[in-house]
Amino acid sequence: MSELKHLLAKNRAWAAGIKQEDPDFFKKLFAQQAPEYLWIGCADSRVPANQIVGMLPGELFVHRNIANMVIHSDLNCLSVIQYAVEVLAVKHIIVCGHYGCGGVKAAMETEEHGLIDNWLGHIRDVYRFHRQEFYVLQDAEERFDRLCELNVIEQVGNVCSTTFVKQAWKSGRQLSVHGCIYSIKDGILTELDVTITGPEQISSIYRQK
Ligand code: CO
């Protein structure tokens, strides 16, 4: 008996529920995907992209990794952004972080975690860029929360710095890059005030450093 039996049963029930609402739903999706949003989020199981914004299959193009990072040389993430911007022509890119992020927490610790420390080094850079702010914040929880937010803001800047996003703006395309943060405690998604809709606004992100 398959160890995934319960998952397959849930899948059948889910597909049947969708078909009940719209019998042609999967037929239409098979024909094409035309999402308006690219979601770049954390791999954390408690932050399921589609579910928390109530979106159906086909509505969100998703990339997730540990601590919702956009690294300038990460071919995986860059390929997703290129496809989303150049082929799917999404109108919005959302970087979504979350409070209580294990990746951000690990980056704040002094103990070693192995290979992942190389990935988390980028979050330590964010901490370093903002160290003046952290001198003032004494409460450990507040510092943790703030680094989760600043990490999102940094990644919004990194999305805006990609060649594909810059090219889209250059050619006059409408494309907004947003930063959001999700609270696992209450399920609420909050937009950080860092939406960028053109290259002239990029510096406002870096002014926050
Ligand atoms: Co996380």
Side-chain angles (χ1 to χ4, degrees):
M1 189 194 295
S2 168
E3 289 176 34
L4 300 181
K5 200 179 167 200
H6 62 297
L7 294 191
L8 300 178
K10 274 177 181 280
N11 164 257
R12 299 301 185 274
W14 170 79
I18 295 219
K19 273 195 267 188
Q20 204 169 14
E21 290 270 312
D22 179 359
D24 291 330
F25 183 82
F26 291 108
K27 245 185 256 171
K28 285 184 277 185
L29 265 192
F30 184 71
Q32 68 154 351
Q33 65 161 337
E36 283 192 18
Y37 305 90
L38 163 61
W39 175 281
I40 299 172
C42 183
D44 194 306
S45 64
R46 299 165 296 178
V47 194
N50 283 64
Q51 268 168 293
I52 65 178
V53 286
M55 290 218 155
L56 288 166
E59 293 185 306
L60 216 54
F61 196 63
V62 174
H63 178 76
R64 291 169 69 181
N65 60 35
I66 290 178
N68 40 270
M69 307 289 283
V70 178
I71 308 303
H72 298 301
S73 57
D74 176 7
L75 289 180
N76 184 353
C77 185
L78 290 175
S79 301
V80 169
I81 296 174
Q82 180 182 25
Y83 191 75
V85 171
E86 294 185 357
V87 181
L88 298 173
V90 297
K91 295 191 177 79
H92 303 272
I93 300 176
I94 300 164
V95 176
C96 179
H98 67 102
Y99 296 118
C101 183
V104 174
K105 187 166 189 288
M108 295 176 88
E109 293 167 355
T110 49
E111 66 189 77
E112 291 177 15
H113 308 89
L115 176 136
I116 196 173
D117 281 327
N118 299 289
W119 182 254
L120 300 178
H122 298 287
I123 305 179
R124 289 192 203 98
D125 289 342
V126 178
Y127 186 92
R128 188 160 44 82
F129 298 151
H130 297 271
R131 58 185 177 277
Q132 299 292 351
E133 189 175 336
F134 287 101
Y135 288 147
V136 183
L137 286 178
Q138 293 301 322
D139 183 65
E141 189 98 349
E142 263 181 69
R143 291 163 72 99
F144 184 17
D145 286 352
R146 187 59 184 147
L147 189 54
C148 291
E149 292 171 358
L150 289 172
N151 182 45
V152 170
I153 295 167
E154 183 72 19
Q155 308 316 317
V156 167
N158 289 350
V159 170
C160 296
S161 305
T162 60
T163 48
F164 327 112
V165 171
K166 285 198 284 196
Q167 189 54 46
W169 283 330
K170 213 172 177 179
S171 62
R173 285 251 319 274
Q174 257 199 340
L175 179 63
S176 305
V177 184
H178 312 264
C180 292
I181 192 138
Y182 177 75
S183 171
I184 294 169
K185 282 184 192 161
D186 58 13
I188 298 299
L189 184 68
T190 305
E191 190 168 3
L192 296 169
D193 189 21
V194 290
T195 300
I196 305 290
T197 58
E200 69 286 351
Q201 297 161 359
I202 295 178
S203 58
S204 68
I205 292 265
Y206 297 105
R207 272 204 295 273
Q208 299 212 18
K209 281 184 184 172

